[in-house]
Each structure stands twice: as C-alpha cells, then as structure tokens.
Amino acid sequence: MPKHSKVTQREQSNEHVTESVADLLAHEEPVDYKRSVLNVSSETHSKDKEVEEDSDSEDRPAWNSKLQYILAQIGYSVGLGNVWRFPYLCQKNGGGAYMIPYLVLLIIIGIPLFFLELAVGQRIRRGSIGVWNYVCPRLGGIGFASCVVCFFVGLYYNVIIGWSIFYFFKSFQYPLPWSECPIVKNGSMAVVEAECDKSSATTYFWYRETLNISNSIAEGGGLNWRMTLCLLCAWSMVGLAMIKGIQSSGKVMYFSSLFPYVVLVCFLVRGLLLRGAIDGILHMLTPKVEKMLDPQVWREAATQVFFALGLGFGGVIAFSSYNKQDNNCHFDAALVSFINFFTSVLATLVVFAVLGFKANVMNEKCVVENAEKILEYLNLRILSHDLIPPHVNFSHLTTKDYSEMYNVIRTVKEDHFQELRLDACVLEDELNKAVQGTGLAFIAFTEAMTHFPASPFWSVMFFLMLINLGLGSMIGTMEGIITPISDTFKVRKEIFTVSCCVCAFLLGLIFVQRSGNYFVSMFDDYSATLPLTIVVILENIAVAWVYGTKKFMQELTEMLGFCPYRYYFYAWKYISPICMAMLLSASLIQLGISPPGYNAWIKEMNAECFELHSWALAMLISLIILAVFPVPMVFILRQFHLISDGSNTLSVSYKKGQMMKDISNLEDNDETRFILSKMSSEAPSPMPTHRSYLGPESISPMEMSGISSGRYGSNYLIATSPESEL
C-alpha cells in the first residue's frame, strides 16, 4: 500500500480507523446495493473468500429446485417412526383422542422450533456447528453435541434398514418363509419346530432365522454373518447416495421420498377391501376422551412431535443451509410439518386396516380351535349336549354363536371352568394388543401379509417402502454430521463421507451380533432422547435469549420480505422453552420411575422377559454424558479463552461489479494499525451474505445517522458480532 495512503496517514490519529476506510470507499461512485458485497473474513483461512448474494457465484452447493429441497426435508422427517411408532401411540393413548394433544403440541412447539432451525440454517448458510458458533460461540458445543447424537442414531438406525433388506430379499419366494413353521426330523418322525410351535411362525422367523438371538445382552454370541452383509449393503447405499453431497442425495430423494406414499396408498386401498379392515379403523378412530387427562399421554405426544420433525439433529439446518436467502422458509416449516402429520395419519389408517383384518383372522382361528375343544369335551361327556344352543352348527360356527355358547358353559360350569381352558375369542381383545417398533413391522404386519392374496408382492412392496423411509432419514441424519464438519474443518466431503460410513459400519458390528437387537432397543430408547431435548432447549435459548428475539425477528423480516406472525416471538421466547423444560423434567422422572432395560427373548420360555443389566445401564449413562459433554466443554474453553472463537485479524475486500479493490494485502505493521488493537473477540465471524447477522445490542443500519456511506459500510461499520457481546 502507498506510504501516503489515508490509512497510513491516520496511524497517529485517535479517530477510529474504520472511518478512514469509509472515507476511502466514499470516493467510489454509488453502486447498486444488491451488487455490492463487503466481506469480512478470518486470517486463519488460506485465502480471502469473496461472497456475493448471487448464488451462481457462490461456492456453496444449492438445491436444483424447490421441489428437491421440500422432498429432502419430507424424506428426512418422515421415517420409520411414522409407520410403527405413531400408530402404536394412537392405539395406546386413546385412539382418535390422541391426535388432539399431538396437533396442539405440533402447533405450540413443533412448527415454531422447526421454523427456527430452518431460518438459522438458511440465514447463516452453515451446518449446525457453524450456525451456533456464530450465534453464540460459548454455546458452540450445541453443534458438536448434535453431531455426536446423529452418529449414535445413525449407528443403530442403519441396522434397521439392514433388517428390511434381509426381509426384502426373502420376500421373493412363495410361500413366504415366515408363513409356516419349519419341519424338523426327530428320528424317523417329522415334527414342527418346538420353539415355533409354542410361539408363531413370524415370531420364530424374526427371533431365530433373522436375528438368531441370544437369551441376554451379556451373551454376545458372535456376529450374525447374514445381518453383517445386510448392514454392509445398507451403509453402501447411504455412502453412494451422499458421495456427491446434495447433488447426489437430492436426486435419490425423488424416489425415496415419493415411493413410500405410493405404497401406503396401495396398501390403504387393498386394506379397505380386506375382511375386518373397518373394525380396525373404527377401533383406531374411536376416541377415549378420558385419556387426554393423563399427563403421560401429553409427554409421549410431545416426544413424538419432537422426533418426527427431526429437531436437534442438525439435518434440518444442514438441508436449509443450501437454500437461497430469499426462500420462504416459514411456508416450508408449516408445509413439511403438516405433511409429516398427515403421513402419520395415513400410515395409521393402513396399519389399523391391516391389523383389523389380522384380528378377524386370528379371532376366527381362535373360534375354530376352541370349538374343537368343546366337541372333544362333548364326546368325552365332560360337557353335556344340553349346554349347546340348538341353533349352533359346528360346521359353520360364527363368532356370535361361539360367544353365546361360551357364556352358557362359563355360567353352568363356573366352578370347573378354568380346567376347560377355553378362550373368550373377543375381537376387541385382539385389536387391543398393542404392538410397536420391530414387533409391528417384522412380526404383526408380516403375519397379516401372509394371508393376503399374492402375498410375496405385498411383502416386497412393504419392505422396499421401509428401506426408502429409512434411507431418507439416514441421509438427513448423516447430513447433520457431514455438512457441519466439512464447513468447519474444510475437509473434502467425498473423503469424509466414505470415512464416516466405513467407521460407522465397523462400530455398528455390535448391533449385528446375536445380542445386537438388545443394543438397538436400548440405543433407540435412551441414547438420543435426553441429549436431543437438551440440545433443542439450548438452541431455543441461544436464539431467543442470548441473540435476542427482536433482533432475530428483524433479520427474518429482512430475509423473507415480510414479518412472521407475532406468535413466533412469544413461542420462541416463552412457550417453547417452558414446554421443552417440562418435557425434559417428565423424561427424567419417567427414567427414574422405570429403570432402563430391554425385553429379552428367552428360548426356553418362548416368550419375552424384561431384563436390566447394571453394566448396560452404565453404558447408556456414558452415552448420554458423551453426547452432551461438548456443550459444557466448549463453554468453559471459550469462557476462559483457551480456544479461539474463529475470529482473528480481519481482511476486507470490496467488490464493485467486476472490479475488485483489495486492501487485504496490508503489511504486517499496517494491518496491526488497521485493526487498532481490537480484541480478537470483537472481530466478526465470516458472514455469507451481504447483511450482517446482527448480534445482541448491535446497531441496525437503519438506526444509524450521519453516515454518508451507509450503503457500503453496512457490513464493516457494523462489524460487531454476537461473539463480541459475550
């Protein structure tokens, strides 16, 4: 720089150096604000970055279309939980009445927090680590905690996709392999496998043929080689889908997000044509209003809303960070949230239609088996023929006739009725059997499909749907790891993606040993719930209380072009934090009341038994601590200035059209004078747009007076960042 430039002439002056820079820029001709970009970047980068509002000139990838982005968010939020968790909660918590607390909580905490994550991702255009480092460096551990939880969830979630892959390939045969119990030779006799005979064909196939499960989590039993190959296949699919970032995963989403809806609609149409489907749907829709007074129902509804939208994982922020600045993320939040809800309702209708059919089949089977017992008792004269109503025909026995006969026998033989071992065979009892998770998908639903005409076709469709639902969620989960890490540490995305998948596959081998299902169950129940709740609470606090809700609303107004509803101000500042704190407290109380454990399949008993191992409990506590540990660690390190917050000496570049006047190449001593001994914490973080992301107590450009070069100076005169106020 020339020795007599304005910057060097003022080195002895007490006047702030930024004014001299403003004067320097003031000599330039006025330019259009939209085409002028002032970029403040860290000296730690190997070279200064030019950032323009025009997305064509930005290095950051962008979605090919709005449809691709919406499908990605839907594919991420709509997952396996919509198919097997929501229907179970609906059945357990009052049928149609459960949808009222779910909708209320979706509006109160779901949509506002979803909108918050979409907005910060789109505004700052970084992954979760970069976003929370920028909003509040001392709470920068939030982003790292999200990555840790995503990694934990991804480890076991892909195992479920592996199970679905195994069932998918097994479906290409008729009859389906889980439709009948296997026959084994006992000497010269062929008998039904005892374990299968005492349970059911689908239960036996799941626990013995698929998992070859051990009796306890302590009995590892070695790797299940078939599940290991399926897990390798699942991670290969995820890696290939994400190898090119959103350019590859976005194309995958066109199929993985839309195909499940095609399958659900086909299953609904087919299910409604099945005998007894209406019984199942009416059972689901019949509201039990008294259940709404149970706090446990509201806790489970809040938890389902929380996880259904994928809050806290970082995937929502990562996907949103690839949007244009003027995208209407407010509309996106409402659209994706309600699509998620309607998908859950659609899946519930399908599940209960099929389970209604299954309940009728099982009830008719129960009637036939017990009618045979009664005939045997009549032949042995244990029961008198006078007890059988005259209109009853054993050749065409209906459930109504059996119920009448059962009640007569129970009344007359009251003293010895238990010895007869007759079942009531009530349809309502079959419908009330609550099944969730793997029990619904791999046992109850598969058993129902064995009674379908062309059952292999429906089985292939069902498990292909599960694979796509899981793949869409896995892409979002892994994006919550890959995007923030690659943004922060500038690693090559392709290499890091492959490394993550390989590492996750190796660590995931613990889930494909014979006791692996128990680890999946415990990880699913306990490893993510508490850490994610804490993460979302801290996200809410960081924006609403540290950064400032008013400032955030002002930024949203500038970004969206309209002011969001005033409701969001109160939701972010008061309602959501209180509701999330209540959810966290309820979860801790529930954890204390019901110690963590798992249901073990005992081969000798042919039944599940709840077990609790102290070392397994210690492992879960360690996982929870490990997941939230980055938050206090980063806070302490930055509180005592043990690590940098990413803001060092500044380099300033100003672009006018195609001409660049660069003043970043200052000599060392000139650069020191240029920043006038400002503390490093006062230097702003890189801001990827033409507007500064205003921190607490910052002065808005509109509020400044007496500054003639405000058009150019808005990005460096307002150089104060959230970091400098903390």
Side-chain angles (χ1 to χ4, degrees):
M1 179 175 291
K3 291 292 183 182
H4 299 291
S5 67
K6 282 197 172 186
V7 174
T8 55
Q9 287 174 9
R10 294 217 181 176
E11 67 178 72
Q12 303 298 328
S13 173
N14 293 328
E15 191 173 358
H16 199 285
V17 71
T18 52
E19 294 183 8
S20 66
V21 178
D23 294 338
L24 177 66
L25 297 178
H27 287 286
E28 298 292 336
E29 296 178 7
V31 297
D32 182 55
Y33 180 66
K34 297 242 179 218
R35 299 182 61 189
S36 300
V37 176
L38 183 63
N39 182 35
V40 183
S41 61
S42 173
E43 188 184 57
T44 57
H45 296 290
S46 59
K47 61 181 180 178
D48 298 329
K49 291 184 177 180
E50 299 177 13
V51 181
E52 292 182 290
E53 187 181 25
D54 185 2
S55 61
D56 293 335
S57 63
E58 292 180 352
D59 293 332
R60 190 170 187 82
W63 298 104
N64 292 335
S65 65
K66 180 65 175 284
L67 175 62
Q68 188 180 74
Y69 164 68
I70 293 296
L71 289 178
Q73 289 286 14
I74 291 173
Y76 173 51
S77 64
V78 175
L80 298 174
N82 297 76
V83 174
W84 65 35
R85 179 69 178 169
F86 187 89
Y88 161 75
L89 292 175
C90 192
Q91 178 185 23
K92 176 186 174 185
N93 295 319
Y98 171 74
M99 295 186 186
I100 296 176
Y102 185 88
L103 265 177
V104 170
L105 292 169
L106 179 66
I107 295 172
I108 291 178
I109 63 173
I111 295 178
L113 292 176
F114 192 60
F115 179 32
L116 184 146
E117 290 200 355
L118 290 178
V120 295
Q122 179 174 310
R123 185 68 179 93
I124 303 177
R125 308 208 71 189
R126 292 292 182 269
S128 57
I129 295 176
V131 161
W132 303 115
N133 271 342
Y134 186 82
V135 171
C136 178
R138 293 179 185 175
L139 292 179
I142 296 174
F144 290 98
S146 294
C147 291
V148 174
V149 176
C150 280
F151 190 69
F152 287 163
V153 172
L155 285 178
Y156 76 83
Y157 200 88
N158 224 19
V159 176
I160 302 174
I161 300 179
W163 294 340
S164 302
I165 292 172
F166 178 76
Y167 270 78
F168 172 74
F169 285 111
K170 285 289 185 179
S171 299
F172 288 96
Q173 51 187 299
Y174 184 82
L176 292 171
W178 52 82
S179 60
E180 296 177 351
C181 286
I183 304 298
V184 295
K185 287 188 176 182
N186 185 6
S188 59
M189 297 178 59
V191 296
V192 176
E193 173 67 45
E195 184 180 1
C196 182
D197 190 40
K198 294 178 181 177
S199 53
S200 69
T202 50
T203 302
Y204 175 82
F205 187 86
W206 167 243
Y207 283 117
R208 195 55 52 207
E209 296 291 336
T210 304
L211 303 176
N212 192 21
I213 202 164
S214 61
N215 285 351
S216 168
I217 196 173
E219 302 175 18
L223 292 178
N224 183 333
W225 68 269
R226 288 179 295 187
M227 292 301 102
T228 303
L229 290 178
C230 290
L231 181 63
L232 178 62
C233 180
W235 276 114
S236 299
M237 290 169 56
V238 173
L240 290 173
M242 300 191 64
I243 191 70
K244 294 294 184 181
I246 63 170
Q247 302 303 322
S248 56
S249 62
K251 294 179 175 62
V252 173
M253 287 296 183
Y254 282 113
F255 181 78
S256 64
S257 297
L258 295 175
F259 180 74
Y261 289 95
V262 175
V263 177
L264 285 174
V265 171
C266 291
F267 262 98
L268 181 61
V269 173
R270 183 68 187 92
L272 292 175
L273 299 176
L274 295 172
R275 181 180 73 259
I278 301 300
D279 295 328
I281 292 177
L282 290 177
H283 177 76
M284 183 270 289
L285 293 177
T286 303
K288 301 179 181 66
V289 183
E290 66 279 2
K291 283 280 190 178
M292 292 178 58
L293 302 177
D294 185 359
Q296 181 74 0
V297 173
W298 290 82
R299 184 190 74 82
E300 293 187 340
T303 304
Q304 179 63 18
V305 167
F306 184 71
F307 285 104
L309 295 176
L311 300 175
F313 284 93
V316 173
I317 294 176
F319 281 149
S320 182
S321 70
Y322 299 112
N323 270 334
K324 295 180 180 179
Q325 281 285 304
D326 59 352
N327 175 64
N328 188 351
C329 56
H330 175 260
F331 172 79
D332 299 342
L335 177 66
V336 174
S337 298
F338 282 107
I339 287 178
N340 186 291
F341 171 69
F342 290 127
T343 304
S344 298
V345 175
L346 174 62
T348 302
L349 290 173
V350 171
V351 168
F352 276 92
V354 174
L355 292 183
F357 164 70
K358 174 180 174 288
N360 273 268
V361 171
M362 299 306 295
N363 197 54
E364 291 173 1
K365 183 179 178 181
C366 174
V367 168
V368 171
E369 291 175 351
N370 283 271
E372 291 177 354
K373 288 183 182 180
I374 293 175
L375 281 173
E376 184 179 352
Y377 294 148
L378 290 173
N379 293 332
L380 296 175
R381 300 185 183 279
I382 296 175
L383 294 177
S384 172
H385 287 274
D386 297 335
L387 299 177
I388 309 302
H391 65 275
V392 171
N393 183 357
F394 280 93
S395 299
H396 300 86
L397 189 63
T398 64
T399 54
K400 182 179 179 181
D401 291 340
Y402 173 78
S403 178
E404 183 179 350
M405 185 169 55
Y406 174 86
N407 291 329
V408 171
I409 296 174
R410 183 175 183 178
T411 303
V412 175
K413 294 286 187 178
E414 184 176 358
D415 297 336
H416 305 285
F417 182 76
Q418 295 296 332
E419 299 174 2
L420 299 176
R421 297 181 180 178
L422 296 176
D423 298 319
C425 298
V426 179
L427 180 62
E428 192 73 14
D429 293 340
E430 287 290 338
L431 291 171
N432 282 330
K433 289 181 179 178
V435 184
Q436 66 163 324
T438 55
L440 173 63
F442 298 106
I443 298 178
F445 215 89
T446 52
E447 183 173 355
M449 286 189 296
T450 59
H451 301 287
F452 282 19
S455 55
F457 168 77
W458 294 105
S459 183
V460 167
M461 294 285 284
F462 177 71
F463 289 109
L464 187 58
M465 178 190 73
L466 292 187
I467 291 170
N468 280 277
L469 285 173
L471 183 61
S473 296
M474 271 302 301
I475 289 174
T477 301
M478 295 304 293
E479 199 69 55
I481 302 173
I482 293 169
T483 295
I485 296 294
S486 58
D487 285 348
T488 304
F489 300 103
K490 307 303 176 186
V491 297
R492 282 194 61 184
K493 185 166 287 189
E494 295 88 350
I495 297 176
F496 185 63
T497 300
V498 173
S499 301
C500 270
C501 292
V502 172
C503 179
F505 167 71
L506 295 176
L507 291 175
L509 293 178
I510 189 177
F511 300 106
V512 292
Q513 56 181 338
R514 290 184 59 196
S515 61
N517 182 55
Y518 305 141
F519 286 99
V520 171
S521 177
M522 297 192 76
F523 266 67
D524 187 37
D525 290 338
Y526 306 112
S527 69
T529 305
L530 287 178
L532 281 181
T533 307
I534 294 171
V535 164
V536 174
I537 291 174
L538 292 175
E539 287 181 356
N540 200 166
I541 292 173
V543 171
W545 291 93
V546 178
Y547 182 76
T549 312
K550 290 183 179 179
K551 300 287 185 183
F552 188 58
M553 292 289 284
Q554 177 185 349
E555 288 293 315
L556 287 181
T557 302
E558 294 178 3
M559 182 175 72
L560 300 176
F562 64 90
C563 183
Y565 296 119
R566 190 69 177 174
Y567 163 73
Y568 290 108
F569 177 89
Y570 298 104
W572 289 329
K573 199 169 185 67
Y574 305 110
I575 301 174
S576 295
I578 293 173
C579 290
M580 293 304 299
M582 292 173 63
L583 176 59
L584 178 62
S585 302
S587 299
L588 290 171
I589 293 172
Q590 181 66 24
L591 193 61
I593 295 174
S594 304
Y598 62 94
N599 290 319
W601 177 260
I602 309 301
K603 181 177 181 179
E604 292 74 22
M605 298 171 55
N606 296 298
E608 289 184 335
C609 179
F610 184 81
E611 290 189 1
L612 174 64
H613 285 269
S614 57
W615 68 267
L617 177 60
M619 180 191 70
L620 288 177
I621 294 175
S622 300
L623 290 175
I624 293 172
I625 294 174
L626 182 62
V628 300
F629 180 70
V631 176
M633 182 185 69
V634 172
F635 182 87
I636 292 171
L637 292 176
R638 285 182 173 159
Q639 174 69 22
F640 295 100
H641 306 289
L642 299 177
I643 60 172
S644 171
D645 59 6
S647 303
N648 297 312
T649 53
L650 303 180
S651 60
V652 181
S653 58
Y654 168 70
K655 185 170 184 180
K656 173 187 173 184
Q658 299 299 319
M659 180 177 65
M660 172 66 67
K661 292 196 174 183
D662 196 340
I663 61 173
S664 62
N665 299 320
L666 296 171
E667 298 177 6
D668 292 341
N669 57 343
D670 288 337
E671 187 172 3
T672 304
R673 299 187 189 102
F674 180 69
I675 62 175
L676 285 181
S677 69
K678 280 190 175 185
M679 297 297 295
S680 61
S681 61
E682 293 181 343
S685 300
M687 188 61 208
T689 64
H690 69 281
R691 299 186 187 96
S692 173
Y693 200 70
L694 300 177
E697 309 302 326
S698 297
I699 303 174
S700 170
M702 299 301 295
E703 296 171 355
M704 298 181 62
S705 59
I707 300 177
S708 59
S709 56
R711 177 187 297 260
Y712 309 116
S714 61
N715 268 18
Y716 69 92
L717 290 176
I718 315 300
T720 305
S721 72
E723 296 94 317
S724 65
E725 303 295 339
L726 298 173

